[in-house]
Amino acid sequence: MPEFSTAVNTMELAVFGGMMPHWDNDDGTGRVIQSFAKKIHASLERAFPEQRLFLRSDTETRFIRLSPTTQFVGLTGSALLVGWTIISSAILLMQSLGAGDLREQALRDQAVYEGRLNTLASERDTRATEASDAQARFAVALAEVSAMQSRLLRSEERAKEFATGIDVIQTTLRDAMNERDFERSKNETLIARIAETEAASPEVTRMSDLETTLDFLSVALGDIAVERDEMQLYVAEAESALDRVALDARLGDERNERIFSQIEDAVETSLTPIDNMFSAVGLPTDSILEQVRRTYSGQGGPLTPIRVSTSGDAEIDPITSRANEVLGRLDELNLYRIAAEKLPFGFPVRGSYRSTSGFGPRWGRTHEGHDWAGSRGTPIHATADGTIVHAGRQGGYGNLIKIRHDFGFETRYAHLSKIRVQVGQRVSRGERIGDMGNTGRSTGTHLHYEVRVGGKATNPLKYIKAARDVF
């Protein structure tokens, strides 16, 4: 017991001595500081009187002295510990509240993004409807052009017939007028001869014959005059009919101009977005369209040019030439449509999803595709027409589907929970091929989607964004 008490007193003196630095007794300042330290020590003794902590065992009882300085140090340390605990808890609480706000902001951003996607989908459907309407209007206009060409051909044939009839009538009329003038001259000659021989010749019978002949000629001349008047009326009617045919032809030309202008505008409106889509991804459109043109397989063939010639020769009139130009643009639009079905311009995920990782460097290596997260079983669809070349597990991909497309393209769909196709199966763009899952090297339910050209990975979003205003 005495040894323990001595040790405690020694510790107290050491602590208190640390609060009272050594000063030379000859220095007045040192004495002032020592006096101030003693006052502080006295204040501590009044605030924290000495306490004893008794420890009792089976054989003996011990106690520990708690000096005022020791109590002050312990209380101060406890207060600092409690204050630090309160501050740390407040910081953790503020961080938790901030994380909640971030999650709410992420949900709001997701809702805005989904709304934009719905708007874009609506606009895409509107563009598709407009293109379909334009094609329908073109079909109707083409039928009207064909009907007008038929009417124009018939009008030209009637005009030729009228012209031939007029020529015949004019020739007949000239012959009749010549015969009339000849008979009139002959009649006048006969009358003069009769007048000269009337007194000298007593031949009554011959005179009677001459009068009969004169009457016959007069009747014939009257009939010829009537026919001439009828021919003049017929010629006037023919000229009026020709004027009406010319007016119909002019009106037909004006109507054809309006129809062709509307058709050309509609075709250009439909073709420009698709052309921009192919240009945006840097595809060689000329070679692709030529390959599609060579490999038609029941999806509609090239439009046959119109070959109508009213003159019977090989020269094509301007209307037919213009119609052939429109047909050429429509054929190009059809080739673009077929090529777009064979290229990965579609979107692979249907339903609720969010983008989690893009194409490019990630964690020290290249991420060769794009990731979309969603719930397990979310439908996965083919982004282009093609053939299934792999449908099963493959390393870190987990359940993987590979589709080979035309023009050297290949798409991959990884980490699937279910595969709905088989190797060798032909699929179309938009056809469901599997379900989203979490197989292989994956940290959560998502789809890993790749687009490869000639075996080299490329950014899938480049094709999806390019087709946003078309499909």
Side-chain angles (χ1 to χ4, degrees), residues 349-353 374-380 417 432 434-437 445:
V349 184
R350 302 287 175 83
S352 179
Y353 59 87
S375 59
R376 179 182 176 84
T378 298
I380 305 301
S417 63
R432 185 171 182 177
D435 300 345
M436 186 181 293
T445 301

Side-chain angles (χ1 to χ4, degrees), residues 351-398:
S352 179
Y353 59 87
R354 66 182 185 280
S355 177
T356 56
S357 182
F359 178 87
R362 187 182 70 173
W363 302 336
R365 59 186 182 87
T366 300
H367 185 232
E368 297 183 337
H370 196 99
D371 294 345
W372 288 279
S375 59
R376 179 182 176 84
T378 298
I380 305 301
H381 297 259
T383 56
D385 298 350
T387 304
I388 305 297
V389 295
H390 179 87
R393 294 190 68 88
Q394 180 175 324
Y397 283 111

